[in-house]
Amino acid sequence: MAKTKYIFVTGGVTSSLGKGIVSASLAKLLQERGYKVTIQKLDPYINIDPGTLNPYEHGECFVTDDGAETDLDLGHYERFLNIRTSQNNNVTTGRIYQTVIEKERKGEYLGKTVQVIPHITDEIKRRIQILGNNNEYDIIITEIGGTIGDIESLPYVEAVRQLNWELGDGSMAIIHLTLVPYLAAAGELKTKPTQHSVKMLMESGVQPDILVCRTDRHLTKEVRKKIALFTNVRPENVIESIDAETIYDVPLLMLQEELDKAVLKKLNLPIGNEPKMDAWIDFLNKFKNPKDTIKIALVGKYVELHDAYKSIHESLIHGATYNHLKLELDWVHSEKLSDDEIIEHIKKSDGVIIAPGFGSRGVEGKITALKYARENKIPLFGICFGMQLAAIEFARNVLGLKGANSTELNPHTKIPVISLLEDQKLNLLGGTMRLGNQTCRLEKDSHTYKIYKNDTINERHRHRYEFNSNFEKKFEKNGMKIAGRDIKTNLVEILEYEDHPWFITTQFHPEYKSTVLNPHPLFVDFIKTAYQLKNNK
């Protein structure tokens, strides 16, 4: 293709309509038609990135191969498309303003007054087009966070208006995701919220080409025609997005509605081959027709907001579906429940996930869960902080080191099983995080090696504290195997408890790499073993 085409996805009426899922679904269909596609997210908040946000504020922080801390929607993009994203796939207002202010301080604007237009909008346009300038992609989908009418989103909408004018006809398509609610008292679907939302978008100089209408019931021809008339959109470009049983239904629903064809016509691109989606349909058939159920307890401190553990949840679904099982996830609060309550939850489960996290809240509840699962041989999977707490629990209850702790939790502990490295202590807090893709070498006699079937693996990290090498010999002598080490630093990456059917804890985050068509082997094997043990009982 001569030049990259752009698709912009905006949202109106209300938040949480599913722009990320619709964007990922459209990208999947275009990918199946033979186009090279990626998706980027523009977030209107002033934080530089979500790395410092409380999960209650924004859900999980998704980490890319290159170490960018990004919006959780990038996880959806990767899981749907089976591709890798980067720091260029997520842009925040904070990053935009930081770049502009740094340029101003260096004198790059030659003393001019720095303004939202053109300086902020120019930087937004530059960021939007970075992925397109390397000629790697045919189509780039850009999801604009927030809701039309929000003050925070206005510069992004203005940048879209300018790009539409600059790039010319056939270079871009604008999709507006909106809501068509059903009022029970009136007994009908109401189009007025959609009309007002599009009107507000048009007041900013942007005319949507396609409307995707979220609804809990089918849109009639009359409703579609009415929406089209009042929004200046062609009737065939009013697309229904009905509530689905699972997010993985959405690509097939969008295929039925011919969203991909509408976009390609607007972009003056060949329709290409009809998407077969065979592997996707096979996944859905397994998901909807399981042979049995598997119950997993996820022990964490943010369980009220399920999005805080979005990638773990989806990875468990991938692993369960691969094994023809339905996942039943028990969200266990490690802070608010007593030890006895936590144990009761675990007794009823076939496997346990010890979730990642930072800080001291909920730690003792996780340690209770770890101890019970280890002693009672319940399959256990610890991730990141989960590995560190597994080390602390083992030191306390097997090695008899009662004061064992992490210097993150107790800076004055006399038994720092988990601590900062010496060179980390010299740096500022924000510069000590291990982030992104790193290589780990596996011990060939380890359980993890048998699962990966490879002696070197690449996984993503997001942590600061490390296993203290002074305790390695004691751990291994007493049955806690060091199954994997970082290939460059020799730092401990994986701990396995050997006297156990499945007890694997990792310093890295395997959930970031699980996709619909390539479920992560650790999650697949964890579910498989938990189910086998369930049947043996």
Side-chain angles (χ1 to χ4, degrees):
M1 287 179 58
K3 75 176 181 179
T4 302
K5 306 278 189 172
Y6 293 89
I7 300 168
F8 292 92
V9 180
T10 61
V13 182
T14 180
S15 60
S16 302
L17 288 181
K19 292 193 300 295
I21 300 300
V22 169
S23 298
S25 299
L26 172 60
K28 181 65 184 174
L29 297 179
L30 295 174
Q31 188 183 64
E32 288 292 316
R33 288 190 182 274
Y35 292 98
K36 295 178 181 178
V37 189
T38 192
I39 318 176
Q40 62 184 177
K41 175 75 180 290
L42 305 183
D43 274 310
Y45 50 75
I46 300 176
N47 302 68
I48 298 298
D49 59 43
T52 57
L53 286 173
N54 187 310
Y56 287 131
E57 289 280 327
H58 206 64
E60 78 168 3
C61 175
F62 187 81
V63 176
T64 59
D65 276 352
D66 60 357
E69 295 177 286
T70 69
D71 184 81
L72 63 81
D73 273 327
L74 269 69
H76 291 310
Y77 306 161
E78 291 202 6
R79 287 188 285 272
F80 275 55
L81 297 182
N82 212 35
I83 63 169
R84 299 301 175 216
T85 55
S86 71
Q87 62 182 342
N88 290 327
N89 291 78
N90 193 200
V91 180
T92 68
T93 293
R95 187 80 69 187
I96 296 291
Y97 274 84
Q98 182 187 50
T99 301
V100 170
I101 290 169
E102 285 174 354
K103 287 181 178 180
E104 185 271 333
R105 290 291 85 188
K106 292 175 183 176
E108 292 187 26
Y109 296 119
L110 303 176
K112 291 183 178 179
T113 302
V114 179
Q115 298 174 288
V116 173
I117 303 172
H119 303 100
I120 296 299
T121 51
D122 281 352
E123 179 59 23
I124 293 171
K125 289 186 291 182
R126 187 186 73 82
R127 295 277 183 152
I128 288 170
Q129 295 176 92
I130 285 176
L131 290 168
N133 290 338
N134 60 15
N135 297 317
E136 186 178 346
Y137 301 104
D138 302 319
I139 300 170
I140 293 172
I141 299 174
T142 301
E143 177 195 345
I144 298 177
T147 307
I148 291 300
D150 294 346
I151 292 173
E152 294 90 343
S153 300
L154 287 175
Y156 292 109
V157 177
E158 170 60 18
V160 171
R161 185 196 68 79
Q162 292 179 22
L163 273 176
N164 198 24
W165 178 71
E166 292 168 6
L167 296 178
D169 291 342
S171 296
M172 58 187 281
I174 299 167
I175 299 172
H176 189 54
L177 184 63
T178 182
L179 177 69
V180 181
Y182 178 81
L183 289 188
E188 61 181 356
L189 290 162
K190 289 296 183 181
T191 65
K192 192 62 72 175
T194 293
Q195 294 177 41
H196 280 297
S197 180
V198 173
K199 181 181 178 183
M200 192 171 293
L201 184 60
M202 292 173 68
E203 285 173 354
S204 298
V206 175
Q207 165 68 55
D209 302 300
I210 298 165
L211 295 180
V212 176
C213 301
R214 280 299 307 273
T215 175
D216 65 354
R217 61 204 65 211
H218 292 292
L219 303 181
T220 63
K221 287 184 179 179
E222 290 74 19
V223 167
R224 293 185 195 231
K225 187 175 179 181
K226 183 178 180 181
I227 291 172
L229 177 65
F230 283 97
T231 60
N232 205 29
V233 171
R234 298 178 67 86
E236 62 269 26
N237 287 352
V238 177
I239 304 295
E240 173 189 281
S241 179
I242 198 164
D243 291 352
E245 179 184 344
T246 168
I247 59 172
Y248 301 116
D249 277 323
V250 179
L252 299 182
L253 292 173
M254 292 301 97
L255 179 62
Q256 291 174 12
E257 286 288 304
E258 300 187 341
L259 174 61
D260 51 335
K261 287 185 179 179
V263 167
L264 291 171
K265 287 176 184 176
K266 173 61 184 175
L267 296 176
N268 296 328
L269 292 175
I271 297 300
N273 299 322
E274 192 70 16
K276 292 183 179 178
M277 304 290 286
D278 292 345
W280 196 274
I281 292 169
D282 181 59
F283 170 85
L284 270 174
N285 284 335
K286 289 177 181 176
F287 178 86
K288 294 183 177 183
N289 301 287
K291 65 181 183 182
D292 206 346
T293 299
I294 188 81
K295 186 172 184 178
I296 302 297
L298 189 152
V299 185
K301 62 180 178 180
Y302 303 116
V303 295
E304 302 97 328
L305 181 68
H306 295 179
D307 275 357
Y309 304 110
K310 189 64 179 176
S311 290
I312 292 175
H313 190 184
E314 297 304 320
S315 299
L316 286 168
I317 289 174
H318 301 161
T321 302
Y322 185 90
N323 286 289
H324 297 266
L325 299 170
K326 178 182 179 181
L327 174 69
E328 183 181 337
L329 197 56
D330 184 13
W331 301 87
V332 182
H333 205 299
S334 61
E335 182 186 22
K336 294 184 179 179
L337 297 180
S338 68
D339 288 354
D340 288 343
E341 288 172 325
I342 289 172
I343 289 170
E344 283 304 311
H345 278 276
I346 294 174
K347 280 182 179 178
K348 298 173 185 175
S349 300
D350 305 311
V352 182
I353 293 272
I354 304 297
F358 294 94
S360 59
R361 281 198 312 109
V363 160
E364 295 305 322
K366 289 182 179 180
I367 288 176
T368 295
L370 279 157
K371 182 175 185 291
Y372 188 86
R374 179 180 58 78
E375 292 179 343
N376 291 276
K377 294 183 168 41
I378 299 170
L380 183 133
F381 192 175
I383 298 174
C384 194
F385 197 41
M387 188 201 90
Q388 297 176 7
L389 294 181
I392 293 169
E393 187 279 323
F394 184 80
R396 290 179 183 178
N397 299 314
V398 177
L399 302 183
L401 304 173
K402 297 303 179 186
N405 216 326
S406 165
T407 54
E408 177 187 6
L409 307 175
N410 178 7
H412 306 295
T413 179
K414 296 291 198 301
I415 310 173
V417 175
I418 305 295
S419 64
L420 288 175
L421 302 179
E422 286 302 315
D423 60 343
Q424 288 178 302
K425 296 174 184 177
L426 303 176
N427 295 322
L428 293 172
L429 188 65
T432 59
M433 189 90 83
R434 260 216 291 163
L435 284 165
N437 211 41
Q438 297 181 30
T439 305
C440 171
R441 180 180 287 111
L442 302 179
E443 296 295 327
K444 291 191 176 180
D445 61 346
S446 67
H447 189 177
T448 311
Y449 174 81
K450 293 174 184 176
I451 295 170
Y452 277 96
K453 298 180 175 62
N454 205 331
D455 60 355
T456 56
I457 59 173
N458 291 285
E459 295 286 0
R460 298 179 194 176
H461 295 67
R462 185 179 183 243
H463 71 277
R464 180 171 290 113
Y465 291 78
E466 305 286 352
F467 181 85
N468 189 333
S469 60
N470 295 328
F471 293 89
E472 289 182 9
K473 289 182 179 178
K474 282 186 178 180
F475 268 60
E476 294 219 277
K477 184 179 178 181
N478 289 275
M480 186 66 86
K481 183 179 184 61
I482 297 170
R485 295 178 182 272
D486 184 87
I487 202 165
K488 291 182 180 178
T489 62
N490 213 38
L491 292 168
V492 173
E493 293 275 68
I494 305 168
L495 292 176
E496 295 179 2
Y497 187 51
E498 295 182 290
D499 185 24
H500 200 282
W502 212 102
F503 189 107
I504 295 175
T505 64
T506 66
Q507 184 66 88
F508 51 79
H509 288 258
E511 71 273 18
Y512 291 148
K513 285 198 170 182
S514 186
T515 70
V516 174
L517 301 185
N518 281 302
H520 196 284
L522 286 178
F523 285 93
V524 170
D525 198 75
F526 171 65
I527 295 290
K528 177 183 176 183
T529 304
Y531 183 67
Q532 288 172 344
L533 291 173
K534 171 186 175 180
N535 286 340
N536 291 342
K537 289 178 184 177

